[in-house]
Amino acid sequence: MSATTSAIESVLVENRVFPPADAVVKAARISGMAGYEALCKEAEADFEGFWAKQARANVQWSKPFTRTLDESNAPFFRWFDDGELNASANCLDKHIGSPTENKTAIIFEADDGAVTKITYKELLARVSQFANALKAHGVAKGDRVLIYMPMTIEGVIAMQACARIGATHSVVFGGFSAKAVHERIIDAGAVAVITANYQMRGGKELPLKAIIDEALAMGGCDTIRNVFVYQRTATACNMVAGRDKTFTEALAGQSTECAPVAVGAEHPLFILYTSGSTGKPKGVQHSTGGYLLWAKMTMDWTFDLRADDIFWCTADIGWITGHTYVAYGPLAAGATQIIFEGIPTFPNAGRFWQMIERHKCTIFYTAPTAIRSLIKAAEADEAVHPARSDLSSLRILGSVGEPINPEAWMWYHKNVGGERCPIVDTFWQTETGGHVITPLPGATPLVPGSCTLPLPGITAAIVDEMGNDVPNGSGGILVIKRPWPSMIRTIWNDPERFKKSYFPEELKGYYLAGDGAVRSADRGYFRITGRIDDVLNVSGHRMGTMEIESALVAKTDLVAEAAVVGRPDDVTGEAICAFVVLKRSRPTGEEAKQIANELRNWVAKEIGPIAKPKDIRFGDNLPKTRSGKIMRRLLRSIAKGEAITQDTSTLENPAILDQLAQTN
Ligand code: WTA
């Protein structure tokens, strides 16, 4: 039995329950299941009233809203829409004049270990100054700005500065290729790019600005007027006169005061591209008011944040987790947070644990992939085991991005949490803006591998293909029946795709998450069983199979046809497996290896290194039905190394299965 099969089976029989300790319950903001249920009842009794109350308590409005939810143009829901606010003012200015102003906002640890701290007051001054620099270069409310930055204080400053002047940012993860950047610049119609000369990861200096140059040279980016370059390292990079400015040049002479621009609650705070089931990434558009409310509120609910917490979310700002739980949530909540530039395995795989000790981290939030790879490392080398570090400061642990298998959960609980820290297994998506199904640390009894119950006011359910509820214990499609404040507003430039992807007609107007799930028969706890569409989750990164297929067939001199599927992987959750038919005869042996490498590098150039297929198999053809449809479920079985037990009678070319089952 493979490790993954055993993991799935142990979830099915999972009956370990970890209730929160009495002292934790007593001290918690939402205390015990009674506290949780009271909030759920309140939301149920008066849905709009509940959200209006939360929005007034958690957000500072420059113009108060009078309408809570407008459903007249569903599914284009509007929340608090006659209210006005500024997101940056809600993260920074709000704290000025309170003791928080001199509190450390960010503890930054660089790749090489150098530590920089910045207070709220200092951060406000730097954000304001950068906002003034953007304004001086003509960036205005409603403009889009593409951000391609390393994990740095400057990355957060760039996002906050855009928010401050009402510009909509679109952050692209630093691991995406020039081609991916190019597509996003054009789709968003960005007027400026904020980047760095290089980024430091694992002791290596990796170019960022050169990739922007390459993207801009691809043509069609005439909307871009300026490129702002943060000099992260001393190495020079190409600078185009008139277009490119270093941060130092752009900031020279700019005031450190900048009045925040009030925007309507529905004003797009950001667009974040994510993978869907077609080849083209979707620009998920988020609002300002509802999104900010969620970022702030879930810091309090899910992490039960206290004034003296040292919060650390390890996600990159290029992903939604880094937006909500690095760039906005912790600041809106007035927390001290750690931002880490590097990678968990440099200079050794004990880095996370050493950093928790060094900075006395109290809330640690990371991805199952990281946990699984650090388990492996700790098992191989005792010197990087978490037991080597003092982790007694920790009080809450979190997990995000993919299902956490019970074995990894137990290891995290025991070795990192000292059997004392609740683990919040937070289920959410780029589209949900923040947590939607998650335990609350001072309330929910935990079951390893389960994200437990929806947050108050989140009407999550499991339904069949017609949108009818299925009983607990039966699997189905995860939906959210009613809108919520931080939900996706539309797909940038493609409202039709938004409707089709998330609100298919047969589902009664429910939001379709794209995941399968099952609720336990006893507690009604949710367990996510994985994507039901063509989206893969590799190391917690979302990748579309079609996106990778399009990249492969774009190598027109070599590739005739390609099909991409996921297969379970012990460390990365899923691994990308590509079946490729070449325009020439099927290669074997060394030649197959060499072509596979060439294709991997090609995909890295087309999308980014994160999309490189782990396995590439060559065939004379792909398994197809008589009508020419590729039978992906067979490919999934082959990728897993399973014997084919499915019905293959509709297959045009059954002999191909044996050929594809052979590894090169
Ligand atoms: C998966 C990341 C199980 C899920 C915040 C979802 C999870 C996709 C969990 C969204 C979890 C996220 N348990 N699966 N706790 N959290 N997922 O948009 O498949 O990068 O649809 O957002 O990750 O990925 P995204």
Side-chain angles (χ1 to χ4, degrees), residues 69 71-72 93 108 155 207 217 245 258 263 270 304 327 354 359 375 379 385 398 459 470 477 502 562 625 637:
L69 170 62
E71 302 187 76
S72 59
D93 308 56
F108 172 68
K245 296 266 163 74
C258 171
V263 299
F270 64 87
D304 193 31
Q354 293 145 17
H359 304 300
I375 295 176
E379 281 170 355
H385 196 279
T459 51
V470 302
I477 301 170
Y502 301 111
T625 61
S637 298

Side-chain angles (χ1 to χ4, degrees), residues 175-176 536 538-539 541 543-544 547-548 551-552 564-565 567 572 574-578 596-616:
F176 277 111
L536 303 182
V538 182
S539 298
H541 299 157
M543 304 293 334
E547 227 174 313
I548 307 168
L552 284 166
V564 169
V565 299
R567 68 159 168 77
T572 58
E574 269 186 302
I576 302 168
C577 188
N597 266 338
E598 191 180 339
L599 291 178
R600 273 189 200 101
N601 293 335
W602 170 264
V603 172
K605 259 200 115 41
E606 286 285 293
I607 307 174
I610 51 171
K612 278 186 184 180
K614 187 159 181 182
D615 297 347
I616 297 186

Side-chain angles (χ1 to χ4, degrees), residues 320 401-403 425-430 515 528 531 537 542:
I320 190 68
E402 45 179 327
D425 175 0
T426 60
F427 169 82
W428 60 295
Q429 311 174 293
T430 304
D515 283 288
I528 308 299
R531 299 289 306 194
N537 196 323
R542 257 171 84 166

Side-chain angles (χ1 to χ4, degrees), residues 376-399:
K376 267 199 166 172
E379 281 170 355
D381 177 7
E382 206 271 323
V384 298
H385 196 279
R388 285 293 186 93
S389 299
D390 176 3
L391 304 182
S392 59
S393 57
L394 287 171
R395 64 179 197 93
I396 293 171
L397 300 177
S399 170

Side-chain angles (χ1 to χ4, degrees), residues 131 133-147 158-159 161-171 184-185 187-194 223-226 228 261 263 267-271 273 285-286 288 328 492:
L134 290 175
K135 277 204 294 196
H137 287 81
V139 181
K141 179 176 169 183
D143 285 344
R144 274 83 55 209
V145 175
L146 187 122
I147 298 179
M159 294 166 79
C162 288
R164 195 159 189 88
I165 60 171
T168 299
H169 59 68
S170 183
V171 185
R184 286 156 174 76
I185 287 176
D187 191 71
V191 302
V193 174
I194 306 174
T223 50
I224 297 287
R225 293 189 300 259
N226 290 105
F228 300 95
V261 173
V263 299
H267 181 74
L269 179 61
F270 64 87
I271 306 165
Y273 288 85
Q285 180 181 320
H286 276 287
T288 303
Y328 290 104
W492 182 261

